[in-house]
Amino acid sequence: MAGFSDYLEDKVLDHVFGGTAYTAPSTLYVALYTVAPDDTGGGTEVTGGSYARQTATFTVSGTSPTTASNSAAIEYPTATADYGTVVAVGILDASSAGNLLAYADLDTSKVVSTGDVFRFDAGDLDITLA
């Protein structure tokens, strides 16, 4: 992933150095964007065409760097209308609205048209801290 959001950075710093407990979300949601978000959030999330954020679980492994990777495939419903060109992905703490936690541009943008199924295979989403 390209980065953590300001929201998550603040929570981690408050938790580690400020003594304010942060409870990780019980469910993580993966969103697709036609305009990429940044540290403050924003971006343009896909809407319509049967699109919905999908849940994901992650496995954390390794050292230097430690990496969190999606442990199973993440598949979106068959598009019933064009999504447009998907250029980025975000991890959020809610199925709608909520807080952006991490985000990245896709290595290759993808036009999603009616009848297409967008999918991340297991291990395709890797989150590391440098």
Side-chain angles (χ1 to χ4, degrees), residues 34-88:
T34 57
V35 175
D38 60 23
D39 283 0
T40 61
T44 303
E45 187 174 355
V46 170
T47 59
S50 296
Y51 168 81
R53 292 177 187 171
Q54 298 300 300
T55 60
T57 56
F58 289 82
T59 301
V60 179
S61 62
T63 57
S64 298
T66 301
T67 302
S69 299
N70 60 309
S71 53
I74 303 164
E75 188 169 290
Y76 293 80
T78 302
T80 59
D82 294 349
Y83 288 1
T85 302
V86 176
V87 299

Side-chain angles (χ1 to χ4, degrees), residues 88-117:
V89 60
I91 310 295
L92 294 102
D93 61 6
S95 61
S96 63
N99 299 294
L100 178 66
L101 304 175
Y103 63 93
D105 292 337
L106 298 179
D107 290 339
T108 304
S109 60
K110 170 68 177 145
V111 174
V112 179
S113 302
T114 302
D116 290 346
V117 174

